[in-house]
Amino acid sequence: ACSLLRSPKGFPKLKNDTFLRAARGEETEHTPVWCMRQAGRYLPEFRETRATQDFFATCRSPKLCCELTLQPLRRFPLDAAIIFSDILVVPQALGMEVVMVPGKGPTFTEPLKEVEDLLKLRQKVDVTAELGYVFQAITLTRHSLEGKVPLIGFSGAPWTLMSYMIEGGGSSTMAKAKSWLYRHPEASHRLLRLLADVIIDYLVGQVAAGAQALQLFESHAGHLGPELFQDFALPYIRDIAQAVKSKLKEEALPLVPMIIFAKDAHYALRDLGHASYEVVGLDWTIRPQEARAQIGKDVTLQGNLDPCALYAPKEKIGELVKKMLEGFGTQRYIANLGHGLYPDMNPEHVGAFVEAVHAHSRHINKH
C-alpha cells in the first residue's frame, strides 16, 4: 500500500471527516475516537515490522512510517490516523545525537550540561533538509490512506524537548532541566525560542506535506508548577499556535485544527483553553465536567480514559466509556485515552474501546 510513486498533491477525497468536524466544533453523528500510540508495540504486526530495524532508522523510512501508521486502521474503525514518528526528531534536527537503548528508551549521547553547550546546536534549521523524511512519510501516508480518515501530524512542545535534551533521556524528577529554569532563565528562554522556531516551521511543513490536523505534545507539563509553566511553557505553546496559523495563511495552506496535549497540567487548563488551539487534550486525572467548566464551551475536548482501563474485561470497558461520554457529552468532543497505549495491552480491548465509543455516542445522540 505504501509505494513512493504517487504525486505529492491531488490527495484522495476524505470519506470520514468526523474527527475534523468535532475538532472544529461542528455537529457529528457519533463521537470520533483515536488513541495516542495507536501505532505501537501492543500490535504484533508492529513488532514484526519494527523487529529488524533501529528505531530512528524506522522513523527515517517513509515506507515503514506509512506501514506502521496504517496498521491500527486495518484492525479498528478509528476516526483518525497519526503519523508514526517521534518527538525527538526535533533535537536531532538541531544536531543532537539520540539513540534508542533497549530497556532504557531514548538516550542522548551528549546532553546539554552547561549554557555554553547551546552554541553546539544549529542556530538555523532548514526543516526540509533535516526533517524532510517526516514530510515524505506524511505525503505517502496521506495517499495510502485513500481518504479513509484524516491524518494527524505532531511535534513535542519546547519545554518537553528541552527537558529531554538536558536530562539526556527520561527522568522522574526533571531536576537537571528544571535547575536550568531557576539558574539560567535567559539561556532557557534562548533554547525554548530556538525550539519553538523549529517547531513552527516543522508543523507548517507537515501541513504542506498533507497533515490534516496537528497535535503539540507537552508531555512533561506535570513537572512544572503554575509559575514555571506560565513563564517557560505557556508563552511558547501560545506562540506556536498563532505563528503556525499565520504562516499557513501566508502560504495559502489549509488552516488545520490544532490540539494541545499538556499532560498533568490541570493548573493551566483555563490558559490552555485560550491559547488559540481548537482542541485541548486531557489526561485521565481530571473529571470531564471540571475540564469543561474551566476550558469553556468554545473549545473541543479530547481524552481521557485511563489507559489502564483497557486491562479491564471488555464489558467493563464499555461501561467506563459510557460514563466518560456522559461526562463530556457527545459533541465538541473527541474520545481518546488520557495517555498512550502500553506495549502489553490486548488489541481486542483496544477494539472494544473504539467500538464502545461509536455505539454509546450514537445511542446518546439518538435519544
Side-chain angles (χ1 to χ4, degrees), residues 226-282:
E227 282 79 18
L228 287 179
F229 188 85
Q230 198 77 39
D231 288 348
F232 295 101
L234 187 64
Y236 299 98
I237 288 172
R238 230 184 242 140
D239 185 52
I240 286 166
Q242 288 160 359
V244 165
K245 291 186 164 138
S246 70
K247 287 199 174 196
L248 291 175
K249 275 202 188 98
E250 268 164 46
E251 297 181 28
L253 288 164
L255 279 178
V256 304
M258 294 180 71
I259 308 165
I260 175 66
F261 175 62
K263 189 170 178 292
D264 299 318
H266 314 141
Y267 54 79
L269 286 182
R270 193 163 270 120
D271 288 326
L272 291 168
H274 294 104
S276 302
Y277 289 79
E278 285 69 25
V279 183
V280 174
L282 303 165

Short mmCIF file of all heavy atoms in Angstrom, two decimals, residues 226-282:
data_model
loop_
_atom_site.label_atom_id
_atom_site.label_comp_id
_atom_site.label_asym_id
_atom_site.label_seq_id
_atom_site.Cartn_x
_atom_site.Cartn_y
_atom_site.Cartn_z
N PRO A 226 2.41 25.96 38.41
CA PRO A 226 1.77 27.06 37.69
C PRO A 226 2.73 28.18 37.27
O PRO A 226 2.65 28.67 36.16
CB PRO A 226 0.72 27.58 38.67
CG PRO A 226 0.47 26.46 39.62
CD PRO A 226 1.72 25.63 39.67
N GLU A 227 3.67 28.55 38.16
CA GLU A 227 4.55 29.69 37.83
C GLU A 227 5.53 29.33 36.72
O GLU A 227 5.67 30.07 35.76
CB GLU A 227 5.34 30.17 39.06
CG GLU A 227 4.52 31.01 40.02
CD GLU A 227 3.63 30.15 40.91
OE1 GLU A 227 3.89 28.91 41.03
OE2 GLU A 227 2.66 30.70 41.48
N LEU A 228 6.21 28.19 36.86
CA LEU A 228 7.17 27.81 35.82
C LEU A 228 6.45 27.58 34.48
O LEU A 228 6.95 27.94 33.42
CB LEU A 228 7.94 26.54 36.21
CG LEU A 228 9.00 26.68 37.31
CD1 LEU A 228 9.65 25.33 37.59
CD2 LEU A 228 10.06 27.73 36.95
N PHE A 229 5.26 27.01 34.54
CA PHE A 229 4.52 26.76 33.30
C PHE A 229 4.18 28.08 32.63
O PHE A 229 4.33 28.24 31.41
CB PHE A 229 3.24 25.97 33.61
CG PHE A 229 2.51 25.50 32.37
CD1 PHE A 229 2.89 24.31 31.74
CD2 PHE A 229 1.47 26.23 31.82
CE1 PHE A 229 2.22 23.87 30.59
CE2 PHE A 229 0.80 25.81 30.67
CZ PHE A 229 1.18 24.63 30.06
N GLN A 230 3.73 29.02 33.45
CA GLN A 230 3.36 30.36 32.96
C GLN A 230 4.55 31.06 32.29
O GLN A 230 4.39 31.74 31.28
CB GLN A 230 2.91 31.19 34.17
CG GLN A 230 2.10 32.40 33.86
CD GLN A 230 0.66 32.06 33.49
OE1 GLN A 230 0.05 31.18 34.08
NE2 GLN A 230 0.13 32.75 32.50
N ASP A 231 5.74 30.87 32.85
CA ASP A 231 6.93 31.55 32.33
C ASP A 231 7.59 30.82 31.17
O ASP A 231 8.06 31.44 30.22
CB ASP A 231 7.98 31.72 33.45
CG ASP A 231 7.56 32.76 34.47
OD1 ASP A 231 6.58 33.50 34.18
OD2 ASP A 231 8.18 32.83 35.54
N PHE A 232 7.69 29.49 31.28
CA PHE A 232 8.57 28.75 30.36
C PHE A 232 7.84 27.81 29.39
O PHE A 232 8.47 27.28 28.49
CB PHE A 232 9.60 27.94 31.15
CG PHE A 232 10.57 28.81 31.91
CD1 PHE A 232 10.41 29.02 33.27
CD2 PHE A 232 11.63 29.43 31.26
CE1 PHE A 232 11.31 29.84 33.98
CE2 PHE A 232 12.52 30.24 31.94
CZ PHE A 232 12.36 30.45 33.30
N ALA A 233 6.56 27.58 29.59
CA ALA A 233 5.85 26.66 28.68
C ALA A 233 4.75 27.37 27.92
O ALA A 233 4.74 27.37 26.69
CB ALA A 233 5.29 25.47 29.45
N LEU A 234 3.84 28.01 28.64
CA LEU A 234 2.66 28.60 28.01
C LEU A 234 2.96 29.61 26.90
O LEU A 234 2.35 29.56 25.83
CB LEU A 234 1.75 29.21 29.08
CG LEU A 234 0.40 29.73 28.59
CD1 LEU A 234 -0.46 28.59 28.05
CD2 LEU A 234 -0.33 30.46 29.73
N PRO A 235 3.93 30.54 27.12
CA PRO A 235 4.16 31.54 26.05
C PRO A 235 4.55 30.89 24.72
O PRO A 235 4.14 31.36 23.66
CB PRO A 235 5.31 32.39 26.59
CG PRO A 235 5.34 32.16 28.06
CD PRO A 235 4.79 30.78 28.29
N TYR A 236 5.29 29.81 24.78
CA TYR A 236 5.75 29.13 23.56
C TYR A 236 4.62 28.30 22.94
O TYR A 236 4.47 28.25 21.73
CB TYR A 236 6.99 28.28 23.85
CG TYR A 236 8.12 29.16 24.36
CD1 TYR A 236 8.38 29.28 25.72
CD2 TYR A 236 8.87 29.93 23.47
CE1 TYR A 236 9.39 30.14 26.19
CE2 TYR A 236 9.88 30.78 23.93
CZ TYR A 236 10.13 30.88 25.28
OH TYR A 236 11.11 31.73 25.74
N ILE A 237 3.82 27.68 23.81
CA ILE A 237 2.65 26.92 23.33
C ILE A 237 1.73 27.85 22.55
O ILE A 237 1.26 27.53 21.46
CB ILE A 237 1.92 26.27 24.53
CG1 ILE A 237 2.75 25.11 25.09
CG2 ILE A 237 0.51 25.82 24.15
CD1 ILE A 237 2.22 24.53 26.40
N ARG A 238 1.49 29.02 23.14
CA ARG A 238 0.61 30.02 22.53
C ARG A 238 1.19 30.52 21.21
O ARG A 238 0.52 30.59 20.19
CB ARG A 238 0.52 31.21 23.49
CG ARG A 238 -0.88 31.64 23.78
CD ARG A 238 -0.86 32.88 24.66
NE ARG A 238 -1.51 32.61 25.91
CZ ARG A 238 -1.10 33.03 27.10
NH1 ARG A 238 0.02 33.73 27.21
NH2 ARG A 238 -1.78 32.75 28.18
N ASP A 239 2.46 30.84 21.28
CA ASP A 239 3.14 31.40 20.12
C ASP A 239 3.16 30.42 18.95
O ASP A 239 3.00 30.81 17.80
CB ASP A 239 4.58 31.79 20.52
CG ASP A 239 5.28 32.50 19.38
OD1 ASP A 239 4.69 33.48 18.87
OD2 ASP A 239 6.36 32.07 18.98
N ILE A 240 3.35 29.14 19.25
CA ILE A 240 3.40 28.13 18.18
C ILE A 240 2.06 28.11 17.43
O ILE A 240 2.02 28.14 16.21
CB ILE A 240 3.78 26.75 18.75
CG1 ILE A 240 5.28 26.75 19.10
CG2 ILE A 240 3.46 25.62 17.77
CD1 ILE A 240 5.74 25.58 19.97
N ALA A 241 0.95 28.08 18.18
CA ALA A 241 -0.37 28.03 17.52
C ALA A 241 -0.57 29.27 16.65
O ALA A 241 -1.00 29.17 15.49
CB ALA A 241 -1.49 27.93 18.55
N GLN A 242 -0.25 30.44 17.20
CA GLN A 242 -0.51 31.67 16.46
C GLN A 242 0.40 31.78 15.24
O GLN A 242 -0.06 32.14 14.15
CB GLN A 242 -0.35 32.88 17.39
CG GLN A 242 -1.52 32.95 18.38
CD GLN A 242 -1.23 33.79 19.62
OE1 GLN A 242 -0.13 34.33 19.78
NE2 GLN A 242 -2.20 33.89 20.51
N ALA A 243 1.68 31.44 15.40
CA ALA A 243 2.62 31.55 14.29
C ALA A 243 2.32 30.53 13.19
O ALA A 243 2.39 30.84 12.00
CB ALA A 243 4.06 31.39 14.79
N VAL A 244 1.97 29.30 13.59
CA VAL A 244 1.63 28.28 12.60
C VAL A 244 0.44 28.76 11.78
O VAL A 244 0.44 28.71 10.55
CB VAL A 244 1.33 26.90 13.26
CG1 VAL A 244 0.64 25.95 12.29
CG2 VAL A 244 2.63 26.29 13.78
N LYS A 245 -0.58 29.30 12.46
CA LYS A 245 -1.78 29.75 11.74
C LYS A 245 -1.46 30.89 10.78
O LYS A 245 -1.94 30.91 9.64
CB LYS A 245 -2.86 30.16 12.73
CG LYS A 245 -3.38 28.95 13.44
CD LYS A 245 -4.54 29.23 14.34
CE LYS A 245 -5.18 27.90 14.66
NZ LYS A 245 -5.57 27.72 16.00
N SER A 246 -0.63 31.85 11.24
CA SER A 246 -0.38 32.97 10.32
C SER A 246 0.48 32.53 9.14
O SER A 246 0.28 32.97 8.02
CB SER A 246 0.18 34.19 11.06
OG SER A 246 1.47 33.94 11.48
N LYS A 247 1.41 31.58 9.37
CA LYS A 247 2.21 31.08 8.23
C LYS A 247 1.38 30.25 7.26
O LYS A 247 1.60 30.30 6.05
CB LYS A 247 3.41 30.25 8.73
CG LYS A 247 4.48 31.12 9.35
CD LYS A 247 5.82 30.41 9.43
CE LYS A 247 6.87 31.41 9.91
NZ LYS A 247 8.23 30.97 9.67
N LEU A 248 0.45 29.47 7.79
CA LEU A 248 -0.42 28.69 6.91
C LEU A 248 -1.22 29.64 6.01
O LEU A 248 -1.36 29.41 4.81
CB LEU A 248 -1.38 27.80 7.72
CG LEU A 248 -0.74 26.62 8.48
CD1 LEU A 248 -1.78 25.90 9.33
CD2 LEU A 248 -0.07 25.62 7.53
N LYS A 249 -1.71 30.73 6.61
CA LYS A 249 -2.44 31.74 5.82
C LYS A 249 -1.55 32.33 4.74
O LYS A 249 -1.91 32.37 3.56
CB LYS A 249 -2.94 32.86 6.72
CG LYS A 249 -4.26 32.59 7.40
CD LYS A 249 -4.94 33.91 7.81
CE LYS A 249 -6.17 33.66 8.66
NZ LYS A 249 -5.92 33.78 10.11
N GLU A 250 -0.34 32.78 5.16
CA GLU A 250 0.61 33.39 4.22
C GLU A 250 0.92 32.47 3.05
O GLU A 250 1.08 32.91 1.92
CB GLU A 250 1.96 33.65 4.92
CG GLU A 250 2.11 35.00 5.54
CD GLU A 250 3.30 35.00 6.52
OE1 GLU A 250 4.39 34.48 6.16
OE2 GLU A 250 3.12 35.50 7.65
N GLU A 251 1.07 31.18 3.35
CA GLU A 251 1.47 30.23 2.31
C GLU A 251 0.26 29.60 1.61
O GLU A 251 0.41 28.64 0.85
CB GLU A 251 2.39 29.16 2.90
CG GLU A 251 3.69 29.78 3.42
CD GLU A 251 4.66 28.76 4.01
OE1 GLU A 251 4.63 27.60 3.58
OE2 GLU A 251 5.45 29.15 4.90
N ALA A 252 -0.93 30.15 1.88
CA ALA A 252 -2.18 29.65 1.27
C ALA A 252 -2.34 28.14 1.48
O ALA A 252 -2.77 27.41 0.60
CB ALA A 252 -2.22 30.01 -0.22
N LEU A 253 -2.00 27.69 2.69
CA LEU A 253 -2.17 26.28 3.06
C LEU A 253 -3.44 26.14 3.90
O LEU A 253 -3.90 27.12 4.49
CB LEU A 253 -0.95 25.79 3.85
CG LEU A 253 0.33 25.62 3.04
CD1 LEU A 253 1.54 25.51 3.97
CD2 LEU A 253 0.24 24.38 2.14
N PRO A 254 -4.02 24.94 3.98
CA PRO A 254 -5.26 24.78 4.77
C PRO A 254 -5.02 25.12 6.25
O PRO A 254 -3.97 24.78 6.80
CB PRO A 254 -5.60 23.29 4.62
CG PRO A 254 -4.69 22.74 3.58
CD PRO A 254 -3.57 23.70 3.35
N LEU A 255 -6.00 25.80 6.86
CA LEU A 255 -5.92 26.10 8.29
C LEU A 255 -6.43 24.87 9.03
O LEU A 255 -7.63 24.70 9.21
CB LEU A 255 -6.78 27.31 8.63
CG LEU A 255 -6.15 28.67 8.35
CD1 LEU A 255 -7.13 29.78 8.69
CD2 LEU A 255 -4.86 28.86 9.14
N VAL A 256 -5.53 24.01 9.46
CA VAL A 256 -5.95 22.75 10.07
C VAL A 256 -6.18 22.93 11.57
O VAL A 256 -5.58 23.80 12.19
CB VAL A 256 -4.88 21.64 9.84
CG1 VAL A 256 -4.61 21.46 8.34
CG2 VAL A 256 -3.59 21.95 10.59
N PRO A 257 -7.07 22.12 12.16
CA PRO A 257 -7.25 22.22 13.61
C PRO A 257 -5.99 21.81 14.36
O PRO A 257 -5.26 20.91 13.92
CB PRO A 257 -8.40 21.26 13.92
CG PRO A 257 -8.75 20.57 12.67
CD PRO A 257 -7.94 21.12 11.55
N MET A 258 -5.75 22.47 15.49
CA MET A 258 -4.57 22.19 16.31
C MET A 258 -5.01 21.74 17.70
O MET A 258 -5.95 22.29 18.27
CB MET A 258 -3.66 23.42 16.38
CG MET A 258 -3.05 23.77 15.02
SD MET A 258 -1.95 25.23 15.09
CE MET A 258 -0.54 24.57 15.99
N ILE A 259 -4.30 20.74 18.21
CA ILE A 259 -4.60 20.14 19.52
C ILE A 259 -3.41 20.39 20.44
O ILE A 259 -2.27 20.13 20.05
CB ILE A 259 -4.79 18.61 19.40
CG1 ILE A 259 -5.80 18.26 18.30
CG2 ILE A 259 -5.19 18.00 20.74
CD1 ILE A 259 -5.77 16.77 17.88
N ILE A 260 -3.68 20.86 21.65
CA ILE A 260 -2.61 20.93 22.65
C ILE A 260 -2.88 19.86 23.70
O ILE A 260 -3.98 19.78 24.24
CB ILE A 260 -2.49 22.34 23.30
CG1 ILE A 260 -1.44 22.34 24.43
CG2 ILE A 260 -3.82 22.86 23.83
CD1 ILE A 260 -0.02 22.12 24.01
N PHE A 261 -1.88 19.00 23.95
CA PHE A 261 -2.00 17.99 25.00
C PHE A 261 -0.88 18.25 26.01
O PHE A 261 0.29 17.95 25.74
CB PHE A 261 -1.88 16.58 24.42
CG PHE A 261 -1.88 15.49 25.47
CD1 PHE A 261 -2.98 15.32 26.30
CD2 PHE A 261 -0.79 14.66 25.64
CE1 PHE A 261 -2.99 14.33 27.29
CE2 PHE A 261 -0.78 13.67 26.63
CZ PHE A 261 -1.88 13.50 27.45
N ALA A 262 -1.25 18.86 27.14
CA ALA A 262 -0.26 19.14 28.19
C ALA A 262 -0.57 18.22 29.36
O ALA A 262 -1.51 18.45 30.11
CB ALA A 262 -0.34 20.61 28.61
N LYS A 263 0.20 17.14 29.47
CA LYS A 263 -0.11 16.11 30.46
C LYS A 263 0.09 16.62 31.89
O LYS A 263 1.09 17.26 32.18
CB LYS A 263 0.78 14.89 30.20
CG LYS A 263 0.35 13.70 31.05
CD LYS A 263 1.08 12.43 30.60
CE LYS A 263 0.67 11.28 31.47
NZ LYS A 263 1.16 11.43 32.85
N ASP A 264 -0.91 16.36 32.74
CA ASP A 264 -0.88 16.73 34.16
C ASP A 264 -0.85 18.24 34.38
O ASP A 264 -0.35 18.70 35.40
CB ASP A 264 0.34 16.11 34.88
CG ASP A 264 0.30 14.60 34.84
OD1 ASP A 264 -0.79 14.04 35.03
OD2 ASP A 264 1.35 13.97 34.60
N ALA A 265 -1.37 19.00 33.44
CA ALA A 265 -1.36 20.46 33.61
C ALA A 265 -2.73 21.00 33.99
O ALA A 265 -3.23 21.96 33.43
CB ALA A 265 -0.87 21.14 32.32
N HIS A 266 -3.36 20.38 35.01
CA HIS A 266 -4.71 20.85 35.42
C HIS A 266 -4.69 22.29 35.78
O HIS A 266 -5.66 23.00 35.60
CB HIS A 266 -5.18 20.19 36.74
CG HIS A 266 -4.95 18.77 36.75
ND1 HIS A 266 -4.54 18.06 37.81
CD2 HIS A 266 -5.06 17.90 35.73
CE1 HIS A 266 -4.41 16.82 37.49
NE2 HIS A 266 -4.70 16.69 36.23
N TYR A 267 -3.59 22.70 36.39
CA TYR A 267 -3.46 24.06 36.90
C TYR A 267 -3.48 25.09 35.76
O TYR A 267 -3.57 26.28 36.00
CB TYR A 267 -2.15 24.19 37.70
CG TYR A 267 -0.93 23.76 36.90
CD1 TYR A 267 -0.37 24.61 35.96
CD2 TYR A 267 -0.38 22.48 37.06
CE1 TYR A 267 0.73 24.19 35.20
CE2 TYR A 267 0.70 22.08 36.30
CZ TYR A 267 1.25 22.94 35.37
OH TYR A 267 2.31 22.55 34.61
N ALA A 268 -3.38 24.63 34.53
CA ALA A 268 -3.28 25.55 33.39
C ALA A 268 -4.42 25.40 32.39
O ALA A 268 -4.37 25.97 31.31
CB ALA A 268 -1.94 25.35 32.69
N LEU A 269 -5.45 24.63 32.73
CA LEU A 269 -6.50 24.36 31.74
C LEU A 269 -7.17 25.63 31.23
O LEU A 269 -7.46 25.75 30.04
CB LEU A 269 -7.55 23.40 32.31
CG LEU A 269 -7.11 21.94 32.43
CD1 LEU A 269 -8.26 21.09 32.96
CD2 LEU A 269 -6.63 21.39 31.09
N ARG A 270 -7.41 26.56 32.14
CA ARG A 270 -8.07 27.80 31.71
C ARG A 270 -7.21 28.51 30.66
O ARG A 270 -7.71 28.93 29.61
CB ARG A 270 -8.32 28.70 32.92
CG ARG A 270 -9.26 29.84 32.63
CD ARG A 270 -9.83 30.46 33.91
NE ARG A 270 -11.05 29.82 34.31
CZ ARG A 270 -11.25 29.20 35.48
NH1 ARG A 270 -10.26 29.11 36.35
NH2 ARG A 270 -12.39 28.65 35.78
N ASP A 271 -5.91 28.61 30.92
CA ASP A 271 -5.00 29.26 29.97
C ASP A 271 -4.91 28.48 28.66
O ASP A 271 -4.87 29.06 27.58
CB ASP A 271 -3.59 29.36 30.57
CG ASP A 271 -3.53 30.41 31.68
OD1 ASP A 271 -4.26 31.42 31.56
OD2 ASP A 271 -2.78 30.21 32.64
N LEU A 272 -4.87 27.16 28.76
CA LEU A 272 -4.77 26.35 27.54
C LEU A 272 -6.01 26.50 26.67
O LEU A 272 -5.94 26.47 25.45
CB LEU A 272 -4.52 24.88 27.89
CG LEU A 272 -3.14 24.58 28.49
CD1 LEU A 272 -3.10 23.18 29.07
CD2 LEU A 272 -2.03 24.76 27.45
N GLY A 273 -7.15 26.72 27.32
CA GLY A 273 -8.39 26.95 26.58
C GLY A 273 -8.38 28.25 25.80
O GLY A 273 -9.16 28.43 24.87
N HIS A 274 -7.48 29.17 26.17
CA HIS A 274 -7.37 30.46 25.48
C HIS A 274 -6.05 30.60 24.73
O HIS A 274 -5.56 31.69 24.52
CB HIS A 274 -7.50 31.61 26.49
CG HIS A 274 -8.86 31.68 27.11
ND1 HIS A 274 -9.10 31.25 28.40
CD2 HIS A 274 -10.05 32.10 26.62
CE1 HIS A 274 -10.39 31.41 28.68
NE2 HIS A 274 -10.98 31.92 27.62
N ALA A 275 -5.47 29.47 24.34
CA ALA A 275 -4.13 29.52 23.74
C ALA A 275 -4.16 29.37 22.22
O ALA A 275 -3.15 29.05 21.60
CB ALA A 275 -3.24 28.46 24.38
N SER A 276 -5.35 29.56 21.61
CA SER A 276 -5.50 29.51 20.15
C SER A 276 -5.47 28.09 19.56
O SER A 276 -5.19 27.93 18.38
CB SER A 276 -4.44 30.36 19.43
OG SER A 276 -4.52 31.69 19.85
N TYR A 277 -5.77 27.09 20.38
CA TYR A 277 -5.91 25.72 19.88
C TYR A 277 -7.40 25.39 19.79
O TYR A 277 -8.16 25.78 20.67
CB TYR A 277 -5.21 24.72 20.81
CG TYR A 277 -3.70 24.83 20.73
CD1 TYR A 277 -3.03 25.85 21.41
CD2 TYR A 277 -2.95 23.96 19.95
CE1 TYR A 277 -1.65 26.00 21.31
CE2 TYR A 277 -1.57 24.10 19.85
CZ TYR A 277 -0.93 25.11 20.53
OH TYR A 277 0.44 25.27 20.43
N GLU A 278 -7.77 24.65 18.75
CA GLU A 278 -9.18 24.25 18.60
C GLU A 278 -9.56 23.16 19.59
O GLU A 278 -10.72 23.00 19.95
CB GLU A 278 -9.45 23.73 17.18
CG GLU A 278 -9.53 24.81 16.11
CD GLU A 278 -8.18 25.49 15.83
OE1 GLU A 278 -7.11 24.89 16.05
OE2 GLU A 278 -8.22 26.64 15.37
N VAL A 279 -8.53 22.37 20.00
CA VAL A 279 -8.79 21.20 20.85
C VAL A 279 -7.79 21.19 22.00
O VAL A 279 -6.60 21.43 21.81
CB VAL A 279 -8.62 19.88 20.04
CG1 VAL A 279 -8.98 18.66 20.90
CG2 VAL A 279 -9.47 19.90 18.77
N VAL A 280 -8.30 20.89 23.20
CA VAL A 280 -7.42 20.68 24.36
C VAL A 280 -7.52 19.20 24.76
O VAL A 280 -8.61 18.70 25.04
CB VAL A 280 -7.79 21.59 25.55
CG1 VAL A 280 -6.96 21.24 26.79
CG2 VAL A 280 -7.59 23.06 25.18
N GLY A 281 -6.39 18.51 24.73
CA GLY A 281 -6.34 17.10 25.14
C GLY A 281 -6.16 17.01 26.65
O GLY A 281 -5.45 17.82 27.25
N LEU A 282 -6.80 16.02 27.25
CA LEU A 282 -6.78 15.87 28.70
C LEU A 282 -6.23 14.51 29.10
O LEU A 282 -6.51 13.51 28.43
CB LEU A 282 -8.20 15.98 29.26
CG LEU A 282 -8.94 17.28 28.92
CD1 LEU A 282 -10.43 17.11 29.20
CD2 LEU A 282 -8.38 18.45 29.72
#
